[in-house]
Amino acid sequence: MADPGDLSGRIPAPQGARPPWRELEGLRPLTLRACRRLIVVAPHPRDEIRAAGGLLRRLAARHASVDVLALTDGPGRTCTPPEGIAVPDPGDLGADLVVRPDDLGDPDTLDSVLARLDGIAPEDGDGEEPAGDGGSDPEEIALADAYRALGVAEVHRHRLGLPDAGLSRCEADVVGALSEIVGFVEDPHGLCVLAPWSGDGDDDHEAAGRAAEIVCAAYRVRLVRWLDQAWSWAGPESAEVPWRRARQLALSETVQARKLAASAAFGGRPGRDRELPDGSAPGPREVFLV
């Protein structure tokens, strides 16, 4: 079996080439019906929104509480669509609201987009109230705006402030912090931890993933892993990725647009921070390993 931490045999996809992600359309759906509390291990700001914004929205709509353990305050990637995403406007059946990266760079346009999205008929709990004020910290304000864009009412954040690109030296700190949260949960059967896959190819992601595996094994808690950097080197036939454990969450156009708006809340054009060669995650879905 290939060592998931060994990147020597991984060949990145050629620039401009799009792997045949359509082969993943037949993945079984991700079901977390018993999840009443989700703890997210996020190596960088907005990582969880990029990789699992749709899942966060769905669970929050089911009234599951969401905790985010923010490991660093360092840079993170944003969602990058290949084209604009059309969102139906219920007030005008003959017109679509088209959300494009350039549009979302303008705060006024972003507010207009969110107002239109909030007017769309409820879907998976679209009637959620927006997240609260993030305080005076610009990063926290951006995160509050991002979750408001997703339609997630409340997120409890725990900031560790560990060094960006240095989590491999701080894995014990991550294990300790996550253990403190998981260990005090009254109902562990309704708990789920969401973290990066430990074979992702990004040092910080892999360190966070290993720490989550240790804690979840110790407390016998369900762990769900997301892929991020792996999309730049892995394909559906990559032996390094345990595709047999992969599950998908299909995203409506409305949810896709909300994820773009959430990324735009951090300012700048989406996708310019450490953009992957193939853009964002594959198609109108989020993919997880269970």
Side-chain angles (χ1 to χ4, degrees):
M1 179 178 297
D3 180 1
D6 179 13
L7 303 183
S8 60
R10 297 176 180 173
I11 303 175
Q15 291 292 333
R18 294 192 62 82
W21 295 125
R22 290 184 179 179
E23 296 184 20
L24 300 180
E25 292 178 358
L27 289 176
R28 295 166 56 187
L30 176 70
T31 57
L32 296 176
R33 296 188 182 92
C35 181
R36 292 181 290 275
R37 182 174 182 181
L38 180 71
I39 299 176
V40 185
V41 182
H44 313 105
R46 79 190 87 170
D47 274 358
E48 74 277 16
I49 293 174
R50 171 189 170 88
L55 178 60
L56 293 174
R57 176 177 173 78
R58 173 167 295 189
L59 291 178
R62 295 177 179 173
H63 305 291
S65 63
V66 179
D67 289 74
V68 176
L69 180 60
L71 305 185
T72 79
D73 297 325
R77 288 182 287 275
T78 54
C79 301
T80 309
E83 299 175 356
I85 295 176
V87 180
D89 181 357
D92 184 358
L93 297 179
D96 284 339
L97 169 62
V98 178
V99 183
R100 302 183 186 280
D102 286 338
D103 296 335
L104 296 177
D106 180 356
D108 293 334
T109 304
L110 174 59
D111 288 340
S112 175
V113 168
L114 294 181
R116 297 280 294 280
L117 290 173
D118 287 335
I120 293 177
E123 171 195 78
D124 282 336
D126 275 1
E128 292 288 335
E129 293 295 324
D133 185 6
S136 58
D137 187 324
E139 184 69 29
E140 290 299 313
I141 292 175
L143 285 164
D145 288 343
Y147 280 105
R148 176 175 67 90
L150 279 178
V152 177
E154 185 177 4
V155 175
H156 304 283
R157 293 187 61 83
H158 313 265
R159 297 174 65 180
L160 288 189
L162 298 175
D164 178 36
L167 290 183
S168 60
R169 302 188 299 272
C170 306
E171 284 188 43
D173 296 317
V174 179
V175 170
L178 183 57
S179 295
E180 287 189 12
I181 301 175
V182 172
F184 284 96
V185 173
E186 295 181 357
D187 180 18
H189 298 292
L191 176 65
C192 182
V193 172
L194 177 66
W197 175 44
S198 60
D200 188 58
D202 177 278
D203 288 344
D204 281 353
H205 290 182
E206 295 192 353
R210 289 191 297 268
E213 289 172 355
I214 292 172
V215 174
C216 288
Y219 288 93
R220 298 182 180 180
V221 170
R222 183 173 185 180
L223 174 62
V224 177
R225 307 159 178 87
W226 77 66
L227 290 79
D228 190 327
Q229 187 67 28
W231 299 120
S232 67
W233 57 263
E237 298 181 356
S238 297
E240 297 92 338
V241 182
W243 292 120
R244 67 186 182 281
R245 296 163 56 188
R247 302 290 185 271
Q248 68 165 316
L249 176 67
L251 306 179
S252 68
E253 290 186 334
T254 301
V255 175
Q256 292 178 68
R258 283 189 175 276
K259 285 185 66 174
L260 293 179
S263 287
F266 292 91
R269 180 173 178 175
R272 293 303 183 186
D273 293 335
R274 301 167 59 193
E275 183 177 358
L276 294 176
D278 193 42
S280 57
R285 64 183 51 80
E286 292 172 348
V287 179
F288 304 93
L289 302 177
V290 297

